[in-house]
Amino acid sequence: MMAFGGIASKLQIARLKAEGVGQFDNAVKFLNQDYESLRQQCLESGTLFEDPQFPAIGSSIGFKELGPHSGKTQGVRWKRPSDIVDDPQFIVGGATRTDICQGALGDCWLLAAIGSLTLNEDLLHRVVPHGQSFQEDYAGIFHFQIWQFGEWVDVCVDDRLPVKDGELVFVHSAECSEFWSALLEKAYAKLNGSYEALSGGSTTEGFEDFTGGVSEMYELRRAPKDLHRIIRRALERGSLLGCSIDITSAYDMEAVTFKKLVKGHAYSVTALKEVNYRGRQELLIRIRNPWGQVEWTGAWSDNSSEWNDVDPSEQEELRCRMEDGEFWMSFQEFLRQFSRLEICNLTPDALSKDGVSKWHTTVYDGTWRRGSTAGGCRNNAATFWINPQFKITLLEEDDDPEDNELACSCLLALMQKNRRQERRLGGDLHTIGFAVYEVPDEFKGCQNVHLKKDFFLRHQSCARSETFINLREVSTQVRLPPGEYIVVPSTFEPHKEGDFILRVFSEKHSETEELDEEISADLPDEEEITEDDVDDSFKNLFRQLAGEDMEISVFELRTICNRVVSKHKDLKTDGFSIGACRQMINLMDKDGSAKLGLVEFQILWNKIRKWLVLFRQHDLDKSGTMSSYELRLALEASGFKLNNKLLQVLVARYADTDMGVDFDNFVCCMVKLEAMFRFFYAMDSEGSGTAEMDVSQWLTLTMCG
C-alpha cells in the first residue's frame, strides 16, 4: 500500500488548502522558506543570505546545453549586484519595458509576460512585493509571488546572479544598476529547477503564472463568428488581450510592414467600439504598441480621412492624435492584418475595479495514473472511461442582448502540472485535451457515479477542446444550453502519467464537482456453518493437510494454495507469498490462534472458489491475468465501490509493470478489501460513515494488515 507518510502529507496539504493557504493573500511558502524570518535572521547575524535550496552552482543554471560541463557556462561566476555595480537599485523610476532585456536564455516568452506586467501596476506588485531594496535592511534576500497550478507561491532567492565577462548572463535591465527583473527571473528558475528549464514556451504561460488567470488563443484566419462578442466580454471583465503577426522566417522578426505594423511583436488590445460612419455602424478596435511611436498608418489611423465622416462628439471621445503607439483600425482590417489573438482572463481576486464583470471560477486537481486513471483519448474505447470525470451544472444563460440563443458561456482550461521540472529527467509535455458530454436523464442529479465504457460507446461529445496538443494548457470557450455536462480530461495516448488541474470559468453561477464513486462495500453475510455442514471428503482432505494439530498454519496454507493454482493452467501466477497467506488467515481467524480450523478453512476455500469464477469472468482476453481496468470492473461486480484515489493505490500495490494483475494478487486484493471493510463496519456500529478508534485498535488494524 501507499506509505503512511505519503498519505499523511496529502492530508496535510488538503487541510492547508481548506484553511485558505495558496490564495494570493496567504501564499504557499516555497520549500517552506519564510522571507521575513530568513531576512531577520540574516540582519541579526550580520550575514547575507545564501540560499541552500538554489545554490550558486552549475546545476542551478542547467542540465544539458547549459549544464555544468557545457562550453556555454564556462567562465560563469555568481556575483551579488553590489559586486557588479557601485550603487545597485531594485527598481529605478518604476518598472518599465526597458527593464527587461534578454540574455543568453531562450525565454523571450517569459520576458514578454514580465513586460506586460509593467503596463499594469496592480498586477506587477502582486508578483513583485513592495518594500524591497538594496539600501534599507538589505540582507541579500528578495522574494516574489508566482501563481502555480491553482495556488500562489512565495519564492525566496538570494541575489547572487550568474555573470560572465562582467555582465549578467540572463535577463538584465537597460538601466545597468537595476535588478528587479533579473531577480524575478531567478525566482522563476528556482521554481522550475534551473534556468535552462525556462527555455522555450508560450507567453500565455507567463501571463497565467503572473496573474493566476486563464488564457485562450484564437487564430484570426479561422476566427469564430462571434469573436467581437468574445473580445467585448473580455474587455468588460478586465482581461489582458494581446495580438501579434506571425513571422515566416527569422528575417521577419521585428520587420515593419508598409503600413507600420511590426511582425513577431506583441501588441495589446485596449478597446472595441462602434461608430456611425456614412450612415452605417462601423466596428473599430483600439490597439497599443507597448514600445510606442511605431503606429498603424492605414484606415482609421490617427490622421486618416475616415474620421472626417464621424460625428465630432464621437471623434473627440475616440481619437488618439499623439504618437503614443495607440491607434484604431476597423475590426475587419484587424482580422486581415493580425494572425493571432490571446486573451488572459483574470480571476476575481485579481480584479480590483468595482465596475468590471467577474468570472465564476472553480479549480479541480486531478491525476492520470497508469492502469487506473490514464485512459487516453476517445480513440481508446476500452480505457477512455477510466479517466477522471467532472460534472458541470450550468444554471443560468448569459445576459447578451445581441444573442437570441439561450446559452451559457463557459471557459474550460486543462493544465498539466510540473512538466518543466521533468525536463532534467528527460520528460516533457504530454499531448492533452478534453471532451464534454451531456448527462443522460438517468444520471441527472447524481454525484456518486463514474460513467462506464458503454456510455461513451453510445454517446457523442457535445463539445471538446479544439485539438489535442503538447502545450502546458489547453483551453476552449464553449456555449451550451443550461443543463448538466461531463468533462473528461485526458492525455492523447493511454498510460501517460501526470498531474493536472481543470479550471472552469463561467459567466453566470454554475456548479462543478468531480464524479466519483461513493466508497462502499456490499459484503455478503458471513457464512454460518458448523463441522456437521462440512462434507466428509473435505474433512478427509483437511486431516491430510493439517497434520496432528488439526489446524492449518500460514506455511501449510501457502503449500495448499500453490499446489491448487498450479493445476489451473489458464491462470498466470508467481505463487502465493507468506504475506498473502498471512492476510488470508487474518481475515478468517476468529480465535486469534493465527491458524485455521476446519470451519474457518472451509469458509476461506469457498471464498477462493468464488473469486476464481470472478477472475475468469473478467479476464476478458483470456490471458490468464486481469488488466488493471478489468480489475476495476471485477471489484464492482463483487460489491466494492471505490473512488479514483483508492483505485490508484490498489493498482500501485497489486499490478505488475505491464499493468497486469495475476490470480494470487487478485485474491490478496479481495482479502485485503474485505478485511478492511469488515473492520471499519464493526467500528462504525451506527452506520454513520465515520469510526473512532484508539491507538491500540489502529495498530492492531494496520499491523495485521
Side-chain angles (χ1 to χ4, degrees):
M1 282 289 181
M2 183 187 296
F4 285 115
I7 295 173
S9 175
K10 288 180 181 292
L11 291 173
Q12 170 74 349
I13 290 169
R15 185 182 64 78
L16 290 172
K17 279 195 170 184
E19 293 174 358
V21 175
Q23 296 176 14
F24 173 68
D25 56 359
N26 191 10
V28 173
K29 293 174 175 56
F30 187 57
L31 301 176
N32 291 318
Q33 290 179 307
D34 182 82
Y35 169 72
E36 289 296 345
S37 62
L38 288 172
R39 180 164 161 265
Q40 196 57 41
Q41 288 171 24
C42 291
L43 291 172
E44 290 174 2
S45 63
T47 58
L48 296 180
F49 180 59
E50 293 187 4
D51 188 358
Q53 303 282 13
F54 197 59
I57 57 176
S59 59
S60 295
I61 295 178
F63 47 88
K64 192 175 179 182
E65 291 185 12
L66 296 177
H69 303 296
S70 72
K72 294 181 180 178
T73 59
Q74 298 306 304
V76 169
R77 301 288 180 268
W78 296 79
K79 294 187 177 183
R80 296 189 190 271
S82 56
D83 298 324
I84 302 170
V85 298
D86 291 335
D87 185 24
Q89 303 291 320
F90 189 61
I91 292 182
V92 177
T96 64
R97 63 170 183 82
T98 59
D99 298 349
I100 307 112
C101 303
Q102 190 169 356
L105 189 60
D107 62 348
C108 57
W109 61 275
L110 177 62
L111 310 193
I114 297 175
S116 72
L117 274 182
T118 65
L119 304 175
N120 186 321
E121 195 167 344
D122 288 340
L123 292 177
L124 173 73
H125 287 295
R126 287 164 67 94
V127 176
V128 186
H130 283 291
Q132 304 188 81
S133 81
F134 287 95
Q135 286 74 40
E136 188 175 338
D137 289 335
Y138 167 68
I141 183 171
F142 294 85
H143 71 133
F144 302 88
Q145 296 208 157
I146 299 169
W147 183 89
Q148 286 285 277
F149 315 119
E151 58 187 19
W152 285 91
V153 179
D154 192 87
V155 185
C156 298
V157 290
D158 65 32
D159 61 352
R160 295 176 295 177
L161 297 166
V163 172
K164 189 172 182 178
D165 300 326
E167 295 185 351
L168 290 176
V169 176
F170 301 125
V171 167
H172 53 281
S173 171
E175 178 67 54
C176 295
S177 62
E178 183 176 50
F179 289 93
W180 74 269
S181 57
L183 292 167
L184 172 55
E185 183 193 41
K186 181 174 183 178
Y188 206 78
K190 177 179 176 179
L191 199 57
N192 287 281
S194 69
Y195 279 93
E196 189 173 356
L198 306 184
S199 185
S202 160
T203 298
T204 56
E205 186 176 337
F207 265 157
E208 293 184 341
D209 286 352
F210 295 141
T211 64
V214 63
S215 293
E216 48 188 325
M217 185 172 70
Y218 297 93
E219 297 291 343
L220 296 181
R221 66 179 178 277
R222 292 185 285 113
K225 291 179 182 178
D226 63 343
L227 183 65
H228 66 285
R229 188 188 69 85
I230 292 170
I231 292 174
R232 179 175 288 120
R233 309 285 281 185
L235 289 166
E236 287 171 359
R237 285 189 294 267
S239 305
L240 303 178
L241 288 81
C243 55
S244 60
I245 304 171
D246 282 348
I247 59 172
T248 53
S249 72
Y251 299 106
D252 268 356
M253 195 64 186
E254 300 295 326
V256 180
T257 68
F258 79 102
K259 288 189 177 177
K260 295 292 184 73
L261 293 177
V262 185
K263 291 185 177 182
H265 184 61
Y267 288 82
S268 53
V269 175
T270 57
L272 191 71
K273 296 283 185 182
E274 277 190 329
V275 295
N276 194 321
Y277 174 66
R278 295 182 178 176
R280 61 181 173 82
Q281 293 298 109
E282 179 81 36
L283 184 62
L284 304 180
I285 189 168
R286 191 173 70 197
I287 295 169
R288 183 171 189 271
N289 177 356
W291 291 26
Q293 299 179 341
V294 180
E295 282 190 28
W296 164 249
T297 57
W300 296 101
S301 58
D302 284 5
N303 298 304
S304 69
S305 59
E306 285 78 10
W307 290 105
N308 298 332
D309 294 309
V310 174
D311 183 270
S313 62
E314 285 188 289
Q315 277 194 57
E316 184 66 30
E317 181 188 353
L318 301 181
R319 284 183 78 176
C320 313
R321 293 188 175 277
M322 55 292 203
E323 191 76 13
D324 62 352
E326 196 164 39
F327 54 86
W328 291 94
M329 66 194 310
S330 80
F331 188 73
Q332 292 305 314
E333 189 74 51
F334 165 74
L335 296 178
R336 285 192 292 271
Q337 295 288 339
F338 284 86
S339 310
R340 184 174 294 104
L341 173 72
E342 293 174 317
I343 301 175
C344 182
N345 299 285
L346 302 182
T347 51
D349 70 317
L351 295 166
S352 54
K353 288 186 284 187
D354 292 334
V356 298
S357 306
K358 296 180 180 180
W359 287 101
H360 294 270
T361 63
T362 309
V363 181
Y364 276 99
D365 288 285
T367 58
W368 295 299
R369 286 293 174 267
R370 188 166 172 256
S372 56
T373 53
C377 70
R378 266 294 296 266
N379 298 348
N380 306 281
T383 57
F384 178 70
W385 66 277
I386 70 175
N387 286 300
Q389 300 173 15
F390 300 86
K391 187 173 82 171
I392 304 172
T393 305
L394 300 175
L395 301 168
E396 300 176 68
E397 62 270 13
D398 301 342
D399 294 328
D400 193 341
E402 294 182 19
D403 194 357
N404 296 322
E405 183 184 4
L406 291 179
C408 309
S409 291
C410 182
L411 179 60
L412 302 172
L414 172 65
M415 179 184 290
Q416 47 190 321
K417 296 169 69 171
N418 305 316
R419 300 309 297 176
R420 282 190 181 276
Q421 291 90 324
E422 296 291 318
R423 285 185 178 180
R424 185 185 293 272
L425 304 174
D428 214 331
L429 291 167
H430 293 315
T431 300
I432 61 170
F434 55 82
V436 183
Y437 297 82
E438 188 171 2
V439 174
D441 290 341
E442 64 267 31
F443 291 118
K444 283 183 177 168
C446 298
Q447 177 185 359
N448 300 315
V449 62
H450 187 98
L451 298 179
K452 303 300 185 295
K453 176 180 169 182
D454 287 349
F455 170 83
F456 295 105
L457 290 176
R458 296 196 315 267
H459 294 83
Q460 292 292 319
S461 60
C462 58
R464 60 181 186 270
S465 53
E466 187 173 340
T467 183
F468 275 76
I469 192 167
N470 60 336
L471 290 175
R472 184 177 78 156
E473 182 173 68
V474 172
S475 65
T476 298
Q477 189 161 157
V478 299
R479 302 191 72 230
L480 297 166
E484 294 182 18
Y485 300 90
I486 292 164
V487 184
V488 185
S490 73
T491 56
F492 183 73
E493 297 176 348
H495 315 311
K496 298 290 186 184
E497 294 204 329
D499 299 327
F500 65 85
I501 61 169
L502 177 70
R503 295 191 284 170
V504 182
F505 286 59
S506 55
E507 290 210 1
K508 289 299 194 73
H509 178 66
S510 66
E511 295 175 355
T512 311
E513 58 196 351
E514 183 171 5
L515 281 182
D516 214 345
E517 299 289 5
E518 184 174 18
I519 298 170
S520 66
D522 183 11
L523 298 175
D525 293 335
E526 295 197 67
E527 286 188 79
E528 295 287 344
I529 64 173
T530 66
E531 288 193 19
D532 295 337
D533 299 316
V534 181
D535 63 44
D536 291 339
S537 61
F538 193 87
K539 285 179 181 175
N540 290 331
L541 173 65
F542 181 78
R543 289 190 191 100
Q544 293 172 28
L545 299 171
E548 292 182 8
D549 65 352
M550 289 299 286
E551 287 199 312
I552 289 178
S553 71
V554 65
F555 303 101
E556 290 165 333
L557 180 61
R558 184 188 189 195
T559 302
I560 298 164
C561 289
N562 287 335
R563 188 181 299 164
V564 170
V565 296
S566 68
K567 293 178 181 178
H568 294 272
K569 301 303 182 186
D570 63 327
L571 299 179
K572 287 189 178 176
T573 173
D574 53 5
F576 285 84
S577 67
I578 286 291
C581 294
R582 187 168 282 122
Q583 283 188 8
M584 285 190 263
I585 286 180
N586 288 339
L587 174 64
M588 304 310 307
D589 181 20
K590 304 302 181 190
D591 57 10
S593 66
K595 293 183 179 182
L596 299 182
L598 172 62
V599 170
E600 292 169 331
F601 183 61
Q602 173 73 79
I603 295 172
L604 174 62
W605 203 247
N606 291 345
K607 288 180 184 292
I608 292 174
R609 287 192 301 183
K610 183 180 72 173
W611 293 333
L612 176 58
V613 172
L614 192 67
F615 185 86
R616 283 179 168 149
Q617 286 174 344
H618 288 85
D619 176 15
L620 300 179
D621 58 0
K622 306 306 176 190
S623 63
T625 65
M626 276 186 189
S627 70
S628 55
Y629 57 90
E630 289 169 339
L631 170 66
R632 184 172 186 158
L633 295 172
L635 291 173
E636 257 191 50
S638 63
F640 293 111
K641 288 194 173 182
L642 308 175
N643 63 18
N644 284 337
K645 288 180 181 174
L646 270 174
L647 286 162
Q648 287 170 10
V649 171
L650 292 183
V651 169
R653 172 64 180 84
Y654 296 108
D656 60 24
T657 53
D658 296 321
M659 294 296 110
V661 180
D662 59 14
F663 182 65
D664 58 286
N665 272 303
F666 175 67
V667 170
C668 289
C669 181
M670 298 298 289
V671 166
K672 185 75 171 179
L673 280 172
E674 183 171 333
M676 298 296 273
F677 270 107
R678 288 199 187 280
F679 186 96
F680 180 84
Y681 289 154
M683 298 296 295
D684 179 22
S685 56
E686 296 180 1
S688 65
T690 60
E692 290 186 13
M693 64 184 77
D694 60 31
V695 68
S696 173
Q697 292 167 320
W698 168 251
L699 289 172
T700 301
L701 169 67
T702 53
M703 294 299 286
C704 289

